[in-house]
Amino acid sequence: MSSTVHAAPHGTPRQRWTGLAVLVLAVTVVALDATVLSLAIPSISETLRPSGTQLLWIGDSYSFVLAGLLVSMGALSDRIGRKKLLLIGATAFGAASLLAAYAPSAGWLIVARALLGVAGATIMPSTLSLIRGLFPDDRERATAIGIWGAAATAGAALGPVVGGVLLEHFWWGSVFLLNIPILLLLLVFGSWLLPESKDPKPGRWDVLSVALSMAGVIGTVYAIKEAAAHGVARWDVPVAFVLGAAALTVFVRRQLRLETPLLDVRLFRDRRFTAAVLASLIALIGLSGVVFVTSQYLQLVRGYEPLRAGLAELPAFVGAVVGGLLTARLVRRTGARAALTGCLLAMGLGVGVLGWLQQDTTYLLLAASFLLVGTAEGVVYTLGADLVLSAAPAEKAGAASAVSETAYELGTALGIALVGSVVGSIYAGGLTVPAGTDPAAAARAGESLGAAVETAHGLPQGVAEPLLASARESFVHGMNSAGLLAAVLLVGAAAMAWRLLRGLDTAAAPGAPVEAPAPEKADA
């Protein structure tokens, strides 16, 4: 398939680039919401008193639901119109943000975050597929995707900074109210500036495929998350995994039979497509795990205030912006294979630094790690999005974009689940509670570092100080192990990308005409 230009660009250059600015607003607010809550975890722990499991679900219910629905919503956008679904999703996102901001309990907050995931699933695939309609020219589209990718990765990296500023002056719910003015701008300017686009021959929206994809993604991810946290002995873990895997298997077989599938799974025969999706998935596992763990490390171990902790993570934001904007230039010089592989290795190196952090490690080392991880992730995410769009037919841009975004959100959810669960398990196993501590207080302290800090406030100084010292030491030990695990995953992803992109450098370079892929399949 060739993506050589066949259609005239939409509108004047000013209209196209202004329309891109609207899409950047949309992707930024969705990406921001994935991480903005990280610095609010200590405040939420104190106010809503969630259990350790509830704390993880508050962090990843948004990404789980979003990942489970992205493919379905991407296909829906191809059918009813990408602009229409984007504006509907923005309205729903605002309503769910209000519910989250004023959630009275941990359970309500988990529900609100899940509803945000539903709304976010309607926004993300529409943004990337609308870029394809706005910029049919290869070089213009490469630049536009670079800006879009910078906004997505920078939004995730900027989340802790924004959260820190708000938490310095307001309560934790304010991190959700920030969405409202951004979404109002999106609704006003999006309805005015964005063109409508959809598949001219979409076919029907297969509801059974929707149910199978959501059940498959959520079931398997839930099983992985719970296995990491509690092991496989619990009956619900193997049951969820088997049901999820069965649903995904039936989903794939059904897509191969349908005349107009919800997702054309044959796209995975293109090695560019497969490499991009897997690289994005694993890269986000590393990035989201770093954000989730280091936000707690900075506040609860090093004692930073929320604003200072957010500013401490600013190098990741700067790196993400730079990486996204320089992707096209980097790939034209080195080729997609070298760029993707090299940046995955750089992410592995940056994340691996967590394996050697201690309570008193100099901040300069942590800042260098943030900068390296953010820059490399900006390239990986932007290049991955371009590879996905290049491999898919224009009329299926929504569904193909949804696969890319599913990898992004699934990686975010898995990163929080796996890294958070590893840290939590090692923390609980290594915590030493001083003799004489009330059993209820000891149990509470064993749930999380935030709970231990809160518990220590109500204990005598002679008990509180050794409890806090042990809790911080155990948390850092868990963070070290999780960092090394994430680094190994990223090195493995680099080896996978190097193999899959063999011989496809010219075809994969942003801004270059896309040639037909080699006949070798993804599993060759």
Side-chain angles (χ1 to χ4, degrees), residues 32-33 36-40 44 97 100-101 113 159 162-167 170-180:
L32 194 71
D33 237 60
V36 73
L37 202 63
S38 58
L39 286 179
I44 290 173
S97 296
R113 291 277 287 167
V162 173
V165 172
L166 291 172
L167 292 169
F170 307 104
W171 94 114
W172 60 264
S174 63
V175 300
F176 295 108
L177 295 183
L178 174 69
N179 296 335
I180 305 302

Side-chain angles (χ1 to χ4, degrees), residues 79 86 165 174 188 388:
R79 287 158 171 76
L86 174 66
V165 172
S174 63
V188 171
V388 164

Side-chain angles (χ1 to χ4, degrees), residues 20 50 100 127 139 189 221 282 305 317 325 345 360 376 382 389 483 509:
L20 177 65
T127 61
R139 286 191 176 272
F189 289 101
V221 173
I282 299 173
E305 294 297 321
F317 163 72
L325 294 178
L345 287 173
D360 56 352
T382 304
L389 276 190

